[in-house]
Amino acid sequence: MNNAIKSVVIVGGGTAGWMAAASLQSHYANTDITFTVVDSSQIGTIGVGEATIPTIRRFYRNLGLSDREVMQATQATAKLGIQFNDWHSRGSSFIHPFGLYGQELRGIGFHHFWLKMRQNGLQSRLADYSLGASLALNEKFVPPSANPPSSLSVFDWALHLDASRFAAYLKKYALERGCKHVDDVITDVRRRPEDGFITAVRLEGGSDLEGDLFIDCSGFRGLLIEETLGTGYEDWSHWLRCDSAYAVQTENQREPRPYTQVTALESGWQWKIPLRHRTGNGHVFSGRYTDDQRALDLLLSRLEGEPITEPRKLSFVPGRRKQAWNKNCISLGLSAGFLEPLESTSIALIETGIERIKQLFPTQGFSQACIDEFNQVTAEEYERVRDFIILHYKATARRDTEFWRDCAAAEIPTTLEKKIALFKDRGYFLKYRWEMFHPASWLAIYEGFDILPETYDPGVDAFEEGYIANSLAAMQKSLNGAVAAAPSHQNFLDELYDNN
Ligand code: FAD
């Protein structure tokens, strides 16, 4: 028996296609498996997708690439978190930093101490005990120390990057390591009559490109997974109302901030992603509550710099493919599903998808157990991210437009309901499998929306109040010292880009 996979065809050369090609080509370097990317310069890529979360750095480090190399290749800036403006209510602002808050004491989470002191009139916010948040809000940046002196200084960072340059950089990487590339339009897909497995894609040039395994990175259309295999899509638009976006780039007007800004608008929200050479802007909105012209006008009226591109409209359906892996086709990126970019999760979902392909790769032929596991984990992972995003809408105190009133009144998945209830009740973090966001991230959003337990862990009462107050003050002092000593984000970038 020789069912071994020898030839893998990756359909699509956007961020997903080239991330998969670079990672898989590098991983299977010393095997006889071949990888071929087929895409079409006539069709192009989606071209957005510029804000990431810290997992991106692990992804490219596994390829042997450094922060410096990737940043220089993609005109990247550092990202310490996301600032949410006008989400809780108009005029409100909070930050979701990548990292921990404060220090645990005798196994009791920091937030319980903070909750007690807050009930006693303490004014400070959680961000005051996060080095990542404090650096961000002061527009400073220094990479975290490899051996942090205390858990106070534990934070992480990600990148704002130019998505097209990132794909081009990974393309070069993959091709240098032996990946093949075909630039042609796929006009047809051939299947085995007995089981419907895909055998080849037919190219406009007339030839067939054969493969054993096909990775569908063809974007929203899902050329193989949906148009060919009819896998089906689980639509989440009853939970997530936004279905459209306008994207436009502007020239920089100021030094780039080391964080993404997302601002709630009347029927959606606006993103600002500062790169070194320009800023990415967009308005994600619900076509059920506003119209295209109004959405575009609102975005254009709020830009900080002059547009340097024509605005582009993008439409989407929030949800996920019913089976990410169907027969001999695995979907990745937009063909696998879509969740609005509020927490910058799409590229991260591509990363975890690639890791899973490696873990369950059909080296000895296809196994239904591996396919089922892949699908189960992918489904759960998307659902966990979905719940996190829904929380941002459900928790709003805004009632100024029909959109926000409906978001606040909407039913939510029971998985999320349970999470919120346990946090409100006991300050407890219910953790499911395959969560992309850790408790500190949930805490950032809960606090930002004023969802806080009325109680705290009674174990905190074993500590003298004066001791807690002094500890909190000492934490703030130590953070302020670290922030004062850090260079500005701009200085960090100047040093990084001057040394190329
Ligand atoms: P695409 O970029 O659409 O690539 C599809 C590829 O398929 C292309 O190469 C095309 O040539 C090829 N193709 C299609 N049909 C054919 C054919 N018939 N023949 C040959 N080739 C074909 N993600 C983040 O992580 N952070 C963000 O901040 C973020 N912001 C976003 C904002 C918006 C409004 C949207 C819509 C998405 C955003 N994303 C973000 C998601 C991110 O853009 C995508 O996950 C990422 O770009 C991956 O896209 P892709 O490679 O799956 O598809």
Side-chain angles (χ1 to χ4, degrees), residues 11-18 38-53 79 163 182 184-187 203 216-221 223 244-247 260 271 273 283-284 314-316 332-350:
V11 170
T15 307
W18 287 115
V38 52
D39 68 352
S40 165
S41 40
Q42 287 175 45
I43 294 173
T45 65
I46 192 146
V48 282
E50 302 182 322
T52 62
I53 60 174
K79 172 178 173 183
V182 177
D184 206 339
V185 177
I186 296 169
T187 53
L203 304 174
D216 186 347
C217 302
S218 64
F220 282 129
R221 62 187 297 191
L223 179 61
S244 313
Y246 273 107
T260 305
W271 82 72
I273 303 176
H283 180 188
V284 175
L314 301 149
S315 303
F316 51 82
L332 260 192
L334 300 175
S335 71
F338 187 71
L339 285 157
E340 61 190 78
L342 186 57
E343 288 282 355
S344 320
T345 42
S346 287
I347 293 175
L349 286 164
I350 297 171

Side-chain angles (χ1 to χ4, degrees), residues 475-489:
M475 283 184 196
Q476 268 187 306
K477 194 165 165 225
S478 135
L479 281 188
N480 292 343
V483 172
S488 72
H489 180 225

Side-chain angles (χ1 to χ4, degrees), residues 152-372:
L152 255 190
S153 38
V154 175
F155 69 96
D156 212 342
W157 60 294
L159 307 186
H160 298 123
L161 48 75
D162 180 325
S164 308
R165 288 179 194 232
F166 186 51
Y169 187 61
L170 294 177
K171 174 178 179 179
K172 184 165 168 283
Y173 177 100
L175 297 183
E176 280 170 1
R177 283 159 181 78
C179 178
K180 296 181 195 139
H181 177 219
V182 177
D183 180 352
D184 206 339
V185 177
I186 296 169
T187 53
D188 198 8
V189 181
R190 309 189 79 72
R191 298 169 71 185
R192 240 169 23 203
E194 63 270 28
D195 56 11
F197 273 44
I198 296 170
T199 54
V201 289
R202 170 144 296 176
L203 304 174
E204 203 170 49
S207 58
D208 280 356
L209 181 62
E210 293 183 350
D212 304 313
L213 173 68
F214 290 80
I215 303 184
D216 186 347
C217 302
S218 64
F220 282 129
R221 62 187 297 191
L223 179 61
L224 306 183
I225 196 80
E226 195 57 51
E227 288 182 15
T228 304
L229 297 177
T231 302
Y233 194 77
E234 200 172 296
D235 180 338
W236 290 335
S237 48
H238 51 296
W239 280 319
L240 290 163
R241 289 172 168 67
C242 290
D243 54 15
S244 313
Y246 273 107
V248 66
Q249 297 169 4
T250 50
E251 59 187 20
N252 283 345
Q253 286 287 294
R254 65 189 304 287
E255 295 177 353
R257 298 173 179 96
Y259 52 91
T260 305
Q261 283 178 296
V262 294
T263 303
L265 303 179
E266 58 190 31
S267 306
W269 57 275
Q270 178 187 0
W271 82 72
K272 242 181 238 171
I273 303 176
L275 307 187
R276 181 163 151 84
H277 58 316
R278 60 169 170 77
T279 300
N281 307 271
H283 180 188
V284 175
F285 62 96
S286 172
R288 284 181 264 166
Y289 295 81
T290 188
D291 60 63
D292 286 0
Q293 193 55 52
R294 182 155 174 81
L296 177 59
D297 290 346
L298 190 55
L299 175 63
L300 296 179
S301 71
R302 297 176 52 87
L303 297 178
E304 271 184 333
E306 283 303 308
I308 52 173
T309 56
E310 282 300 314
R312 276 182 66 207
K313 164 110 194 276
L314 301 149
S315 303
F316 51 82
V317 181
R320 66 167 177 87
R321 203 63 62 197
K322 284 188 175 155
Q323 298 169 74
W325 183 341
N326 187 2
K327 303 187 190 291
N328 61 337
C329 172
I330 303 176
S331 54
L332 260 192
L334 300 175
S335 71
F338 187 71
L339 285 157
E340 61 190 78
L342 186 57
E343 288 282 355
S344 320
T345 42
S346 287
I347 293 175
L349 286 164
I350 297 171
E351 293 156 23
T352 52
I354 294 170
E355 280 316 302
R356 237 179 339 273
I357 293 176
K358 289 183 201 162
Q359 286 161 358
L360 297 167
F361 195 86
T363 332
Q364 301 304 318
F366 292 96
S367 130
Q368 195 55 45
C370 288
I371 296 176
D372 291 345

